[in-house]
Amino acid sequence: MITDRSVPIVTHIKGAAMQVTLRIMRFDPEKDKKPVMKSYKAEVEPTDRVLDALNYVKWYEDGTLAYRRSCAHGICGSDAVIINGVNRLACKTLIQDVGKTITIEPLAGFKVLKDLIVDFEPFFEQYRSVLPYLINNDPKPIKERLQSPEDREKFDDTTKCILCASCTTSCPIYWANPDYVGPSAIVNAHRFIFDSRDQAAAERLDILNTRSGVWRCRTIFNCTEACPREIEVTRAIEDVKRAILYGES
Ligand code: SF4
Ligand code: F3S
Ligand code: FES
């Protein structure tokens, strides 16, 4: 055991460091008329994540760079951006998977507040519009509301959503019509529509059976490809369409 306190504690052993070029879309609404692409160099390792490279730029190159991040482990959904043209979480994307020149832009279809930070408020408004919580007006049971494994399985996939908006901001229908409630809101409606303990499926289906609801979806599948949680987003949307048409919830 090392007892000499002068020996530094090694917390991170550097492997084969490499230099990458980050091309980052910058925009400061207080100064800039339009967004500009700026390049930065970052020292990283192949197994670092793109979030590490962004941190490097912010900590060592330009402290004014603005981007969201929190958990750094693919759970909070706050760091979805466009990386080399594809919606991804910066904290789940390895440098070795995206090459030495990495282009990073804010999510498409949302207003840019600064650099990579976009305004999520319309997205959360659409999320709230589908009543994304359990509604059951029966008296509370003494222990819990029971559910069979088969019934739980019906909405297992859609419980995985982390509200990162990668799906909604990859949908061309949403780009053309921001009134479309979007795949993320439908996924979160699905999570409760197919929950046997919930009593508001009919209300949610009415909300989604409108001009801005599920019928806007043209089964383009971008949302499914974009989802970092590998949720079968398009399948969930189809489930909801069938429930509206045939009452299959
Ligand atoms: Fe993100 Fe997937 Fe949820 Fe869409 S469905 S918000 S892509 S986690
Ligand atoms: Fe858009 Fe996904 Fe439907 S990309 S059109 S919501 S299948
Ligand atoms: Fe939380 Fe990436 S920082 S998902």
Side-chain angles (χ1 to χ4, degrees):
M1 193 170 104
I2 298 171
T3 53
D4 180 355
R5 288 297 175 97
S6 65
V7 176
I9 299 167
V10 177
T11 56
H12 182 62
I13 299 169
K14 277 273 174 197
M18 59 189 276
Q19 193 175 68
V20 293
T21 301
L22 263 64
R23 298 175 65 248
I24 305 175
M25 190 71 88
R26 301 293 310 267
F27 177 62
D28 182 345
E30 290 181 2
K31 291 191 213 146
D32 304 327
K33 286 205 170 67
K34 56 180 185 175
V36 285
M37 196 64 91
K38 289 195 179 166
S39 290
Y40 303 88
K41 302 283 183 200
E43 296 287 335
V44 289
E45 295 173 39
T47 51
D48 279 342
R49 290 89 40 88
V50 171
L51 180 60
D52 297 310
L54 281 172
N55 287 339
Y56 184 99
V57 171
K58 184 161 182 79
W59 296 340
Y60 302 113
E61 301 282 334
D62 186 344
T64 67
L65 176 64
Y67 52 101
R68 285 198 182 98
R69 75 283 190 201
S70 181
C71 71
H73 286 85
I75 299 299
C76 73
S78 63
D79 64 340
V81 286
I82 304 177
I83 300 174
N84 291 352
V86 179
N87 283 11
R88 297 166 183 261
L89 295 178
C91 68
K92 278 191 75 180
T93 306
L94 296 181
I95 298 290
Q96 65 192 16
D97 293 335
V98 288
K100 288 191 171 175
T101 302
I102 307 162
T103 303
I104 307 175
E105 301 162 86
L107 292 173
F110 289 173
K111 181 182 165 197
V112 177
L113 298 178
K114 187 167 188 281
D115 299 335
L116 302 175
I117 296 181
V118 292
D119 183 4
F120 261 67
E121 193 42 45
F123 172 79
F124 285 127
E125 205 175 302
Q126 283 158 330
Y127 167 69
R128 288 190 290 267
S129 77
V130 301
L131 316 176
Y133 39 81
L134 190 87
I135 298 175
N136 185 321
N137 295 319
D138 288 346
K140 282 185 193 159
I142 294 170
K143 278 192 175 172
E144 58 189 296
R145 298 189 198 280
L146 295 176
Q147 185 168 57
S148 70
E150 293 74 28
D151 280 343
R152 176 64 174 76
E153 178 64 28
K154 288 180 188 167
F155 61 95
D156 194 56
D157 196 35
T158 46
T159 63
K160 295 186 297 187
C161 179
I162 56 173
L163 293 173
C164 69
S166 291
C167 53
T168 297
T169 58
S170 70
C171 174
I173 304 293
Y174 184 82
W175 298 336
N177 184 352
D179 286 340
Y180 170 36
V181 70
S184 175
I186 300 171
V187 160
N188 285 281
H190 180 286
R191 185 255 169 270
F192 292 100
I193 288 168
F194 293 92
D195 188 331
S196 59
R197 301 163 298 182
D198 185 89
Q199 297 175 335
E203 203 177 332
R204 290 190 196 89
L205 293 175
D206 280 349
I207 292 166
L208 291 171
N209 189 20
T210 53
R211 285 188 69 231
S212 51
V214 285
W215 306 113
R216 290 263 172 208
C217 170
R218 294 289 185 269
T219 327
I220 293 171
F221 273 93
N222 281 16
C223 52
T224 300
E225 284 173 27
C227 181
R229 303 286 292 173
E230 297 179 356
I231 296 170
E232 292 182 78
V233 180
T234 311
R235 202 204 58 159
I237 297 170
E238 294 302 306
D239 286 348
V240 174
K241 287 178 181 173
R242 267 198 306 277
I244 291 172
L245 289 175
Y246 310 116
E248 287 179 7
S249 70

